Each structure stands twice: as structure tokens, then as C-alpha cells.
Amino acid sequence: MFSKLAVKNVVRSVRDYSVYFITLLFGVCVFYVFNSMESQTVMGYLGGGTSPYVQTILMLIDVISVFVSVVLAFLILYANTFMIRRRKRELGTYLLLGMERGKVSILLFLETLCIGLLALAAGLLLGVFLSQFISVFTAGLFSIHMTEWHFVFSPKAVGKTCLYFGVIFVLVMMFNSLSVSRCRLLDLMQAERSNQDLKLKSVGASVVMFLVGVALLIIAYAMLLQRGLFRVDGLFWLMLGLGSLGTLLFFRSLSGFLLRVCQRNKKLYYRGLNMFILRQFNSKINTTYVSMTVICLMLLLAIGITATSLGLNNTVEGLSSGKSPYDVSVYFWPSEGGAPAELEQWLAAGGFDPEEELEERMVYETAQVEFEPVRYELGGREVPLSSLSALSLSDCNALLALQGLPPLELGEDEYGLLWGTYEADYSLVKALWEDQPTLSVAGTTLTPQPGAETSAIIRTGTSRYESMLILPDQFLEGRPADSVVLVGNYPAGADVQAADARLEEAMHSLVPRDYESGDGGYGYGWDTRLGVYMDTMGSKILVLFIGIYLGIIFLLTSAAVLALQQLSQAADNAGRYRILARLGVEESMRDRSIYVQIFLYFFLPLALAVVHSIVGMTAANAAIAEVGHVDSVSSSVATAAFILVVYGAYFLATCAGSRRIVRGR
């Protein structure tokens, strides 16, 4: 009998509290998806368990999952409180009919078990389906072209999900048993008759509270914009406290003056069911202003974390693309005996043939050029400059052509300048270029050509290189090279990972055998666009993953709490709406009153959270802008779309569920 009754109650609960069940389902789904990353196909392309980026991503997801499980546990316990409150009269009826409290607890245990197993199974099924796309998403973030894909199922993620949610549901079962054991029969039977006290504050006190709250928020905003987002000290926590208190006072003040202010506008107050709507809203906000404050702050976290993560990802992606104009760079710095002859044939002997691998390529040399010393005053002392590395004009223009940049022009007795990325020589070279001196090279006097200046990147990689002169070709003929560099790009659609692996294997096999490294031998290295991208983006991808993970959880939690509150309130107000129906109020007007109340509860916290997030994102973008351009527009649009879809779906589902509860269907 208990099993049949439990199943019947579960079916009814899932129907009446579909938002609760959907939240459980998506909580399980998101938890599985992010914890299944270790088994994703793309992780093999990223180096699997040997990659430090993969290891850090997986480690942080494990840590964040503990926090997420705590948040979801509070959400489920909070939602369960509303369900128990809604069913107190039903539970009292069971006791009145002679059912023992222990058996009522067993009934609730079976119901919770059924709902938990159903949500767990459905969530895992949806999670397994959605996790198939996370490899594609991750590969897109790292610009990886996957040549194969296979179905992914992670037993480890399933076990972790079952363990975490099993613990949560055990806590729910214990809470239900405790709730039943502590309630008196009279309290259970009269639960639906209990009303919340309507405590109206004077308009003056509410206005003062409102102004104090706004003042605290303005102070917190000013501190944030002036100090920045990432300066954590005592004032940082004071700023957070002022912002939180200001938010609390803002919502607390609504319960005092909103009704009174609207009452003074007779035309608005007596239009339709506005009087009923305002009194309902005012009576509830007396006890929900704390939860609305918490929801507002969680929405702030959801918006801020998601938008900042997307903006940071776009910024760093642009930075890494700027450092990597070529797919491949191989470079040598010989100290004796010159560079390896025929660099391309040498690489081909190791298994990486540039002619076959690269669609466009070039090999260039730089040489050290000496000239009569030019002296500058730097740091309080005189510093002579008598030599610089140089690049021929034809090689420089070939590099510019690979990057899609216009060529430079030089006369036979002119020189230009290519700016490097090594800061140590910047001041001296800057002084040289600003002074525009003539240089005596190999008995020829060269004059500067101001138009022959470029900051083009001469090789892929994060390693720095010095600024160098750009000279007519004849000045470098016959000079020993101080570096030899190969740069090139793969054909469109090439298997970049496999080609990079062949280059790495060739370098490892050739260099130790044919050349010495270190003192007296060759300095050498190689970089690839994908390698630089992963080095630059590795830690930043963590921010994106964790940001999206936490953003989804905070948004789901906020929307679910609001939805459950409104569904519970709709059940409490069902009797009042029946009275309105008997008084002749049209069904469309009753539905409109439901929608307006839900709209106020959903979008007041969201509106203030948007204001908070605009200030917070301004501070975050200012910090990010120190290292690059922030694409705040695209990140804001993507975040807004994400918020509107998820939050809007909960809003519509709550409206539909509340309307059905009020209508008694």
C-alpha cells in the first residue's frame, strides 16, 4: 500500500512541482557533463593525463563540484521545505486517519527515493547526451581540428554524480522525517489557514531606508571602480559588505512604501486587480526580502562570472592570435660554424618535410651589423650603441606578405627599423629611432627612412627577440648568420595536431644527434600556433569553464528558488482566487494578476543584479584591458541571451504552473 501511495504522490508532486523536478534533472545533468570531461575525446588531443592544462582543468572541476553540490543541496532542501509546507494538511489527514508518524516518515522516504531515482536517471541520460558535444565545444576553444569522434560514457562521472546526489537525497529524507516528528496534528491541519503578518512601515521610514540603501550601493560602486576588482584586502570585504547591506535595505524598503505610494495614485490603485496584486506582493515581500537579496546576489554572480569569462576568453584569444602569425616557426642561433645548411632538407630528413607539410613558407637569416658608435644618455650614464641585428629588405617584405601587410620601401643608402619584443633594448633603440642618426655600415653612410618602420611579428612564439635594422639586401650578403628561421602555414583543413607532432619528433631526433646544444653549439627551438595558443589560453580556459559551470548553477538556483516560492504562493492563494471568481472577476483578469506578481518577483532582483553587474563588469573590463582589448559587447550579448533563455523559461513555466494551481487543474 505504501508503494502505491508513494508512486501516486510522486506523480502528483512531479506534476504540481515540475519546476522542482526539472531543476533536479538539470542539476544532475550539468554535474555529470562537467565531471565527464576526463573521458572526452578532445582530451586526447590536448595531451590527456600528461597535459598540465588538462590536469588543472580536471582538478579545479573536482574542487568546484564540491561547492556546486553544497549549493544544490541547499536548493533541494529549500525546495523540499516548500513541498512539505504545501502538503502539511495532507500529512495531517494521514495522522488523523490513524497512520503512525513512523509510517508517514516511511511514506515520505519512499517518495523522496522515487523522485530522486527518477531525476537521477533522467538527468544522467540527458547528461550523457549533452556531454557528446562538449568535445566539440572544447576543441573550438583550443582551435583543434578533431579527425575522429566516438561516443563518450564516463563511469567515473556517473559514480561521482550518484554519490553526491545520493548524499543530498539522504539529507532530504532525514529532514522530512524530522519535520513530521516535530509537527503537531493541529498545526498540520491548520497550515493553510496561517497567514503572514502584514507589517506596514511609515512612508518616511521606508524612504529613509531606501535612500540609505542607495547611498551604500553608490559608495560600494565608487570603491569598486576606483580600487579595481582584483585588489583583495580589508577594504575589499568592506565594499562587499556595503553592497550586500545596500541590496538588503533596497528590498526591505519596498515592503513599506510601495503599497502606500501606489495607494496615493487612485487611478492606478483601483484599476483592475491592482489593489489585490499590490497587497499580495506587499504581504509576501515582508518575509521574502532576505531571499530576494540572496537571489539578486546570486544573479549578480551568474551574470558577472559568465560575462567576464566570455570577455576574458575573447581577449586572450586575440592576444594569442597576435603572437602567432604563422603555424610553424623553427629557429637556430649558431655560435660557431654557421647554421645548418639547407634547413628545409635537414627537417625533411627527420620526418617533417616543409615542402609537403606547409602551403606557404620561407627561410630567412638575420646577421649582426656593426657601425660607428652612437652615444645616448640613459639612466644618468652614457651608453654607446655600435651594433644591432639586421634583416634584409626582401626577407622583411616576404614576412609582411605572409601576414597580409603592405611591403616597405628603402633606397640603396637608407635603413628602416623592425621593433622587437625584448624590453631590455627598447629604450636605447627608441632613442636611436627618435634621433634618426646616420649610420656608417661597411664604409657606406645610411640615412633613416621614417616610413620603413614595422612591428610585424617575425616568428611564432612567446620567446622574445630584439629590435633590428632593416637594410638593403647587399649589406647582408656574405655575412655570417646569427639566426636562421623557417616560418610557414599549413594548408586549410590540415591535421594540425599530427603535423605538429611530426615536427616535434623531427626536432627531438635531429638536434641531439647532429648538433650540440648549450655553450659552443647551437641554440635552437620551435614553436607552433597551436602550442602558443594552448600555452596562452590554457589557464584562461579554466576561467571560462569554471565561469560557465558556476554561472549555470547560480542561475538555475536563483530561478528555481523564485519559481518554487511563487508556486507555493499560488497554492496558498488558491482560496483567494476562488473568492474572486465567485465575485465575478473574469478569468483573464485573475490570470493577469498572477503574471504581474510573478513578474515583480522575478525581474526586480534581476534588474538590480543587472545594475550591479554593469558596475562589476566595468571594473573587470578595466583590469582585463591592461593586457588587451575587451570585447564587452559580444560577451554581454551572449550572457544576456543565456540569461533570457534560462531565466525566461523558468518564468514562463512558473506562470503556467501557478495558473494551473490557482484554477485547481
Side-chain angles (χ1 to χ4, degrees):
M1 181 184 73
F2 281 122
S3 299
K4 293 182 179 179
L5 185 58
V7 171
K8 182 179 179 180
N9 288 340
V10 166
V11 173
R12 186 184 62 188
S13 297
V14 170
R15 182 188 63 196
D16 291 342
Y17 293 94
S18 56
V19 171
Y20 171 62
F21 179 76
I22 291 174
T23 302
L24 289 178
L25 185 148
F26 279 110
V28 172
C29 173
V30 172
F31 196 89
Y32 171 84
V33 166
F34 279 91
N35 282 277
S36 67
M37 288 190 60
E38 184 177 2
S39 304
Q40 297 299 325
T41 305
V42 71
M43 292 305 171
Y45 289 88
L46 295 176
T50 62
S51 170
Y53 309 113
V54 174
Q55 287 295 310
T56 308
I57 289 174
L58 297 178
M59 180 188 68
L60 284 183
I61 285 181
D62 284 341
V63 174
I64 295 298
S65 292
V66 176
F67 171 76
V68 167
S69 65
V70 173
V71 174
L72 290 175
F74 278 107
L75 170 62
I76 294 171
L77 288 171
Y78 181 81
N80 190 72
T81 302
F82 278 95
M83 294 184 67
I84 292 296
R85 180 174 175 271
R86 170 68 181 131
R87 297 181 59 194
K88 278 187 175 181
R89 186 175 180 85
E90 174 192 344
L91 299 177
T93 302
Y94 293 149
L95 295 176
L96 191 62
L97 293 175
M99 186 180 293
E100 298 176 358
R101 290 181 182 269
K103 292 185 177 179
V104 174
S105 298
I106 293 175
L107 179 64
L108 291 176
F109 174 87
L110 293 175
E111 292 180 14
T112 305
L113 181 63
C114 291
I115 293 177
L117 291 176
L118 187 61
L120 193 61
L124 286 174
L125 182 63
L126 182 62
V128 170
F129 173 75
L130 292 179
S131 66
Q132 309 310 311
F133 300 97
I134 200 168
S135 283
V136 179
F137 175 71
T138 309
L141 292 177
F142 281 102
S143 299
I144 295 175
H145 175 70
M146 293 196 303
T147 57
E148 63 178 16
W149 176 90
H150 57 81
F151 182 83
V152 174
F153 177 76
S154 174
K156 182 178 179 180
V158 171
K160 184 183 297 185
T161 305
C162 292
L163 174 63
Y164 279 56
F165 280 86
V167 172
I168 292 173
F169 286 120
V170 168
L171 293 176
V172 172
M173 295 172 189
M174 295 172 59
F175 177 82
N176 289 341
S177 299
L178 183 62
S179 298
V180 173
S181 64
R182 296 178 61 181
C183 286
R184 297 184 304 167
L185 178 59
L186 182 62
D187 295 333
L188 293 173
M189 298 304 297
Q190 293 183 346
E192 295 181 357
R193 297 183 182 181
S194 60
N195 293 315
Q196 296 171 347
D197 294 333
L198 182 59
K199 300 177 182 178
L200 299 180
K201 291 186 176 293
S202 66
V203 176
S206 298
V207 169
V208 170
M209 190 180 298
F210 176 81
L211 293 177
V212 171
V214 172
L216 292 177
L217 290 177
I218 292 175
I219 294 173
Y221 293 162
M223 292 177 65
L224 178 61
L225 294 176
Q226 183 178 4
R227 292 166 45 80
L229 184 63
F230 303 115
R231 185 177 175 184
V232 180
D233 54 14
L235 290 178
F236 176 82
W237 299 110
L238 175 62
M239 176 187 67
L240 291 183
L242 292 177
S244 301
L245 180 59
T247 304
L248 179 68
L249 292 178
F250 174 82
F251 288 113
R252 184 67 182 94
S253 65
L254 290 180
S255 64
F257 74 87
L258 182 62
L259 177 60
R260 295 291 181 86
V261 170
C262 293
Q263 282 177 336
R264 296 188 177 186
N265 189 336
K266 304 297 183 183
K267 186 176 180 180
L268 173 65
Y269 186 67
Y270 292 111
R271 181 187 302 168
L273 290 178
N274 286 352
M275 178 174 62
F276 175 77
I277 294 171
L278 289 170
R279 285 190 170 273
Q280 288 291 108
F281 177 77
N282 193 80
S283 66
K284 291 296 182 182
I285 204 171
N286 276 306
T287 54
T288 59
Y289 68 91
V290 175
S291 64
M292 291 184 74
T293 301
V294 175
I295 289 169
C296 177
L297 296 178
M298 283 197 297
L299 287 172
L300 165 64
L301 291 174
I303 297 171
I305 290 174
T306 305
T308 304
S309 299
L310 293 174
L312 181 62
N313 178 65
N314 294 337
T315 299
V316 178
E317 184 175 4
L319 287 175
S320 57
S321 298
K323 295 177 181 176
S324 310
Y326 320 107
D327 288 333
V328 170
S329 292
V330 179
Y331 40 90
F332 280 82
W333 301 283
S335 58
E336 294 180 2
E342 303 297 338
L343 178 57
E344 293 182 273
Q345 289 81 353
W346 181 77
L347 285 172
F352 183 86
D353 188 348
E355 185 175 358
E356 296 181 0
E357 301 278 4
L358 303 175
E359 184 177 38
E360 50 185 5
R361 69 192 189 281
M362 69 165 292
V363 177
Y364 67 90
E365 297 180 357
T366 65
Q368 196 74 15
V369 174
E370 297 181 352
F371 45 85
E372 293 184 4
V374 181
R375 300 181 181 276
Y376 294 99
E377 187 77 18
L378 293 175
R381 60 189 182 92
E382 189 179 74
V383 180
L385 180 63
S386 59
S387 67
L388 280 174
S389 292
L391 180 69
S392 69
L393 177 63
S394 59
D395 283 345
C396 179
N397 285 334
L399 287 169
L400 293 174
L402 283 179
Q403 299 179 54
L405 299 175
L408 303 179
E409 295 183 0
L410 283 178
E412 292 185 357
D413 57 352
E414 294 179 334
Y415 71 89
L417 184 69
L418 187 147
W419 291 99
T421 59
Y422 187 56
E423 294 88 349
D425 71 335
Y426 179 80
S427 298
L428 195 58
V429 175
K430 181 181 179 182
L432 169 74
W433 191 244
E434 289 178 348
D435 193 41
Q436 297 279 296
T438 58
L439 300 178
S440 178
V441 178
T444 303
T445 300
L446 300 179
T447 60
Q449 170 53 259
E453 176 188 7
T454 181
S455 299
I457 305 298
I458 62 173
R459 66 172 182 262
T460 285
T462 56
S463 58
R464 300 170 182 174
Y465 51 88
E466 299 177 347
S467 300
M468 58 187 67
L469 299 174
I470 303 173
L471 299 179
D473 293 1
Q474 65 269 20
F475 284 92
L476 298 182
E477 292 177 356
R479 291 179 179 271
D482 61 1
S483 72
V484 180
V485 184
L486 165 70
V487 296
N489 295 316
Y490 295 122
D495 188 347
V496 177
Q497 291 75 34
D500 284 356
R502 287 192 291 272
L503 173 62
E504 182 176 1
E505 183 179 355
M507 293 299 294
H508 281 309
S509 62
L510 290 172
V511 173
R513 184 181 64 201
D514 293 341
Y515 301 95
E516 296 179 1
S517 59
D519 296 337
Y522 289 87
Y524 63 92
W526 70 96
D527 287 301
T528 64
R529 189 196 303 265
L530 179 59
V532 171
Y533 189 88
M534 290 183 64
D535 286 340
T536 309
M537 291 291 289
S539 60
K540 309 306 182 293
I541 291 294
L542 296 176
V543 177
L544 181 61
F545 269 115
I546 302 305
I548 293 176
Y549 193 10
L550 291 179
I552 291 174
I553 294 301
F554 283 131
L555 184 59
L556 285 177
T557 303
S558 304
V561 168
L562 282 172
L564 290 166
Q565 282 184 343
Q566 294 309 298
L567 290 173
S568 178
Q569 182 174 332
D572 293 339
N573 292 336
R576 298 180 178 91
Y577 280 98
R578 285 194 294 269
I579 294 175
L580 291 177
R582 295 191 189 102
L583 292 174
V585 178
E586 296 178 357
E587 189 175 74
S588 60
M589 293 182 65
R590 302 198 302 270
D591 290 345
R592 177 182 172 275
S593 72
I594 296 172
Y595 301 153
V596 171
Q597 290 183 68
I598 296 174
F599 179 85
L600 290 174
Y601 273 101
F602 265 78
F603 288 95
L604 274 176
L606 179 62
L608 187 56
V610 169
V611 176
H612 289 347
S613 63
I614 289 174
V615 178
M617 288 173 59
T618 301
N621 289 345
I624 297 173
E626 295 179 1
V627 296
H629 171 69
V630 181
D631 190 2
S632 57
V633 175
S634 62
S635 62
S636 298
V637 170
T639 304
F642 171 66
I643 296 292
L644 287 176
V645 169
V646 178
Y647 205 70
Y650 268 93
F651 170 74
L652 295 176
T654 304
C655 288
S658 298
R659 183 181 61 182
R660 184 176 56 79
I661 291 174
V662 168
R663 291 180 179 181
R665 299 176 184 174

